[in-house]
Amino acid sequence: MNLTLHRRCKAFTLVEVMIALLVCAILMAAFSTVLIYSQRGEANSSAVSRLEIDVHEAVRRVADELRQAGTAGPDWNFSAAAISYNDCTGASGGTATWGDIRSLALTASPGEILADAVDNNGNGLIDEAVLVLNVDGVPEILFTDIASNGLVFTQSGNDITVAITLRRLNQDGSPITASASTTVSLRN
């Protein structure tokens, strides 16, 4: 008696393997899309955080500079977008002594023309400026990426409020802005 036992091999058919591969490919594509958007979101969030840190640093730096100013100095000149002053270096015989002529003002970034609403230098931003500190005619760039109307001084008595707005391009090429302000009490 010849009994042949037929064992059935348990294996996947070609159709089952193809379906499994298709499902895996769809899952991998969905996962990579989520990962890419997550990384872009993190980069954009990091750029916004950096911009906010920079605008607060700019306001702090300008406030520190203005604390040296005295409104009674011989070169005191104030406008909404610029300020000129002398730093008070001390007193002699009951009279204040004044030091260098200093000024804070916006200047167009290289290649830009302010207030023409055109991206003249081709960097994707419109009318950006730099904040310049001049000490006896010697300029020093304190901050870049200032919006064209991004430096505003207001005065109330001996108090000066400074507001600064920075603008940059985000990772995805869209513009982002951050603003900050503070009030400084000036010496007479």
Side-chain angles (χ1 to χ4, degrees):
M1 186 163 183
N2 208 358
L3 289 177
T4 307
L5 294 176
H6 290 278
R7 283 192 196 175
R8 183 170 175 159
C9 291
K10 296 199 175 191
F12 294 108
T13 66
L14 182 59
V15 172
E16 291 171 328
V17 170
M18 294 301 285
I19 290 172
L21 285 174
L22 180 64
V23 169
C24 285
I26 290 171
L27 288 175
M28 293 289 283
F31 177 73
S32 63
T33 301
V34 168
L35 184 63
I36 288 169
Y37 280 110
S38 173
Q39 288 175 337
R40 284 184 189 160
E42 182 180 339
N44 288 343
S45 176
S46 176
V48 169
S49 294
R50 181 75 237 163
L51 187 63
E52 289 175 358
I53 290 168
D54 288 350
V55 76
H56 286 286
E57 174 62 19
V59 166
R60 185 201 60 77
R61 176 70 169 92
V62 170
D64 288 349
E65 183 64 32
L66 289 177
R67 284 187 183 94
Q68 299 178 50
T71 59
D75 294 298
W76 174 254
N77 187 3
F78 172 84
S79 73
I83 191 167
S84 297
Y85 55 92
N86 299 88
D87 57 334
C88 184
T89 58
S92 176
T95 304
T97 55
W98 301 99
D100 299 332
I101 300 170
R102 304 169 83 84
S103 67
L104 289 163
L106 284 184
T107 303
S109 291
E112 276 295 333
I113 299 169
L114 291 181
D116 68 350
V118 175
D119 178 18
N120 302 101
N121 61 4
N123 68 352
L125 296 172
I126 296 172
D127 294 343
E128 70 271 18
V130 294
L131 177 60
V132 177
L133 169 66
N134 275 294
V135 179
D136 273 343
V138 179
E140 173 190 353
I141 295 176
L142 295 183
F143 286 93
T144 60
D145 304 324
I146 309 283
S148 64
N149 57 350
L151 176 65
V152 178
F153 295 109
T154 53
Q155 183 177 12
S156 176
N158 280 349
D159 292 338
I160 298 281
T161 299
V162 58
I164 296 177
T165 300
L166 297 182
R167 181 176 54 210
R168 292 187 185 140
L169 291 180
N170 211 343
Q171 194 76 10
D172 61 5
S174 63
I176 55 174
T177 60
S179 298
S181 66
T182 191
T183 300
V184 178
S185 294
L186 304 178
R187 298 179 281 178
N188 57 338

